Amino acid sequence: MTVPFDAVMLSYDEPLADRLHARLQRVLGTPVKRLHGVQGMRRAYRLAAEVVDHEQFLLVDGDFVLATEFALSAVQPLADGVSMRVWRARNPLNGLVYGYGGLKLIRRSALRDLGDAVDVLAALPGRCEFTADIAGTTRINQSPYHAWKAGFRECAMLARGSEYGMDDAEAAERIAAWTAGGQGEFAEFAVSGAREGVSFTHEAARVPDLFDKLNDPGWLYQRFTAGHGEQAIAG
């Protein structure tokens, strides 16, 4: 079978990334390229554009669990003027289902012309389309730190104002779900991160350059350990 799209997994330090990469290849039925440990999200995305052989390719996060019923053969190419399509993902802790952490079909040429945004892919040229279909689950709770980081980054960006054009009411509903509580392993860290992310947005409003720290893994880890390190080790 000729596959019309490449697939690339971008992983950084996710504990389950190796297993999820192997699973992704099994479900898709095709080899999946991988970039691991690249410093800088913008750099990682641009490098992804250089390892593929097709103009359009699937882009998968290192914590994404693709649904077994997902059929690569059913994926339609992007229409003219569309730079990226996003499938929705389930959040295993708070029940939200939206584009956060979801599977993406993206143009290589668009990544090569990536602009500047805190939510990096929001700076793609052209339109972004969001499908109602659910492609899988975003396994954000692989460790206390990863659960905290997911809540922190997402709610900081939602509280700042969605760069994808989400209206304020919808953003507020999602923040409320992230901060209200959750069930599952390390859910309490995701909730703490979400609440701290909202507070960080108020802090960064006075120093806008601080928002760039949301894409700095070293800074994020230091912020987590400063407030939660002993709790995480103790379980």
Side-chain angles (χ1 to χ4, degrees):
M1 179 182 72
T2 301
V3 179
F5 309 110
D6 288 309
V8 179
M9 173 184 271
L10 283 182
S11 56
Y12 186 72
D13 60 359
E14 301 87 352
L16 299 179
D18 289 348
R19 290 167 54 187
L20 293 181
H21 177 251
R23 184 184 186 282
L24 182 64
Q25 293 188 115
R26 290 196 303 272
V27 174
L28 287 178
T30 187
V32 176
K33 296 172 181 178
R34 184 173 173 192
L35 289 174
H36 180 75
V38 176
Q39 286 283 347
M41 294 181 68
R42 190 170 287 104
R43 179 169 174 260
Y45 287 131
R46 284 177 169 153
L47 284 175
E50 306 309 318
V51 303
V52 296
D53 300 314
H54 297 85
E55 164 64 4
Q56 300 184 25
F57 67 98
L58 292 171
L59 186 63
V60 188
D61 293 338
D63 55 7
F64 185 71
V65 184
L66 185 68
T68 55
E69 61 269 23
F70 184 87
L72 180 60
S73 59
V75 176
Q76 296 297 310
L78 298 171
D80 290 345
V82 177
S83 293
M84 179 172 67
R85 178 185 304 140
V86 182
W87 283 263
R88 297 194 297 168
R90 296 182 182 88
N91 185 310
L93 302 181
N94 56 36
L96 285 172
V97 178
Y98 66 113
Y100 171 78
L103 178 69
K104 300 166 184 71
L105 180 65
I106 198 163
R107 291 185 186 274
R108 174 172 58 183
S109 57
L111 283 174
R112 287 172 170 168
D113 196 24
L114 187 62
D116 292 324
V118 176
D119 196 342
V120 180
L121 293 181
L124 288 169
R127 293 188 291 111
C128 177
E129 78 180 17
F130 293 88
T131 175
D133 297 333
I134 302 170
T137 298
T138 178
R139 184 74 158 75
I140 61 172
N141 58 330
Q142 297 182 31
S143 76
Y145 167 63
H146 290 86
W148 176 91
K149 181 179 70 171
F152 185 88
R153 292 187 72 253
E154 177 66 356
C155 284
M157 287 189 280
L158 287 172
R160 178 176 182 259
S162 171
E163 292 171 303
Y164 288 102
M166 183 190 307
D167 65 53
D168 291 345
E170 188 174 5
E173 289 176 1
R174 290 177 178 171
I175 290 172
W178 276 94
T179 57
Q183 295 183 338
E185 191 172 21
F186 309 131
E188 68 274 20
F189 289 96
V191 173
S192 293
R195 293 171 180 172
E196 291 168 35
V198 173
S199 298
F200 167 79
T201 299
H202 299 310
E203 172 188 343
R206 298 187 296 272
V207 188
D209 287 348
L210 272 180
F211 283 114
D212 292 335
K213 298 297 186 182
L214 293 174
N215 296 321
D216 183 337
W219 181 89
L220 287 164
Y221 189 72
Q222 289 177 0
R223 182 131 182 166
F224 169 74
T225 55
H228 303 276
E230 291 184 6
Q231 180 188 3
I233 293 170

